[in-house]
């Protein structure tokens, strides 16, 4: 059985083109979503994946309708393969039910892995370069040493409320408590 999946990103977009193409491709059942591809929560896709059985083929109009990224696409198609379900993309002509389609998809997978390795390599080189210049990677601290000292002194004063301490140092109470205990002692390793 061919099962179709169609998605548009916004309510003002129409599914008609995709639905027509999926029906022309012989899809007996079509599931749809109206959600950004960046969203992991797509109920129509979840239904389609739960519906397909071994021997079926999941058909999409274009690859970007199915996966959020190349990595996501490769992972989803691998899950389908493990379940015995084929995958077809009409626009790109990918069909994992054929030997040529499988080869093309393996090339996509290799490219996705290559891309991840390049990103990791560039990130590590950038961090090493920054360390060589005396900079540390990561997010800047919400509270520097001076703010921690001020907050610690204020927290020890029973006349000053937590809200006043937060306003004085410009942080939320959650951030304040990450650096300074309710009794005013500075948390270990944060000075």
């Amino acid at each position: 059985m061919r099962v179709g999946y169609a998605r548009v990103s916004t309510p003002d977009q129409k599914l008609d083109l995709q639905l027509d193409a999926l029906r022309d491709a012989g899809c007996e059942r079509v599931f749809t979503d109206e959600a950004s591809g960046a969203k992991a929560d797509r109920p129509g896709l979840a239904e389609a994946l739960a519906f397909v059985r071994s021997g079926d083929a999941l058909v999409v109009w274009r690859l970007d309708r199915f996966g959020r990224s190349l990595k996501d696409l490769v992972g989803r198609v691998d899950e389908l393969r493990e379940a015995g379900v084929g995958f077809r993309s009409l626009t790109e002509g990918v069909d994992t039910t054929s030997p040529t389609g499988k080869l093309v998809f393996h090339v996509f997978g290799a490219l996705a892995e290559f891309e991840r390795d390049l990103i990791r390599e560039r990130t590590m080189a950038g961090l090493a370069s920054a360390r060589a210049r005396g900079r540390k990677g990561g997010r800047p601290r919400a509270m520097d040493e001076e703010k921690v000292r001020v907050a610690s002194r204020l927290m020890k004063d029973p006349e000053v409320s937590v809200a006043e301490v937060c306003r004085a140092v410009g942080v939320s109470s959650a951030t304040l408590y990450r650096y300074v205990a309710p009794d005013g002692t500075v948390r270990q390793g944060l000075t």
Side-chain angles (χ1 to χ4, degrees):
M1 174 182 217
R2 289 183 181 166
V3 177
Y5 173 70
R7 179 183 62 78
V8 291
S9 300
T10 60
D12 58 312
Q13 294 176 331
K14 301 291 179 227
L15 286 165
D16 299 340
L17 174 67
Q18 293 179 56
L19 295 176
D20 290 344
L22 292 171
R23 286 197 187 97
D24 290 345
C27 293
E28 299 172 46
R29 182 88 190 262
V30 177
F31 296 86
T32 63
D33 273 319
E34 195 176 275
S36 166
K39 288 187 176 181
D41 182 36
R42 293 185 271 167
L45 179 58
E47 282 182 64
L49 295 173
F51 182 81
V52 292
R53 299 288 176 251
S54 181
D56 290 349
L58 183 68
V59 183
V60 296
W61 178 61
R62 279 185 24 190
L63 290 172
D64 67 347
R65 302 293 88 195
F66 185 56
R68 296 179 296 167
S69 65
L70 185 56
K71 178 184 175 185
D72 181 53
L73 180 67
V74 170
R76 287 185 186 278
V77 172
D78 276 345
E79 289 173 13
L80 290 173
R81 180 187 48 75
E82 289 171 7
V85 177
F87 174 77
R88 287 186 62 204
S89 173
L90 302 175
T91 304
E92 292 86 0
V94 173
D95 183 355
T96 66
T97 62
S98 73
T100 304
K102 286 179 186 174
L103 173 64
V104 168
F105 211 78
H106 284 297
V107 170
F108 280 171
L111 289 172
E113 187 174 339
F114 178 66
E115 179 185 27
R116 284 191 303 273
D117 289 345
L118 284 177
I119 291 168
R120 187 178 313 113
E121 191 175 285
R122 284 192 303 261
T123 301
M124 298 309 285
L127 289 171
S129 175
R131 277 192 294 273
R133 289 178 175 76
R135 288 182 278 156
K136 294 180 183 177
R139 297 171 77 183
R141 289 178 138 194
M143 292 179 68
D144 60 20
E145 288 183 31
E146 180 59 27
K147 281 186 180 183
V148 171
R149 276 195 294 275
V150 169
S152 174
R153 269 196 315 258
L154 292 172
M155 290 287 281
K156 290 176 183 174
D157 185 345
E159 301 293 316
V160 180
S161 72
V162 172
E164 290 171 319
V165 174
C166 290
R167 275 194 300 277
V169 294
V171 297
S172 68
S173 60
T175 300
L176 174 67
Y177 287 130
R178 216 174 310 135
Y179 288 86
V180 181
D183 65 359
T185 57
V186 175
R187 302 249 184 224
Q188 192 80 28
L190 294 175
T191 55

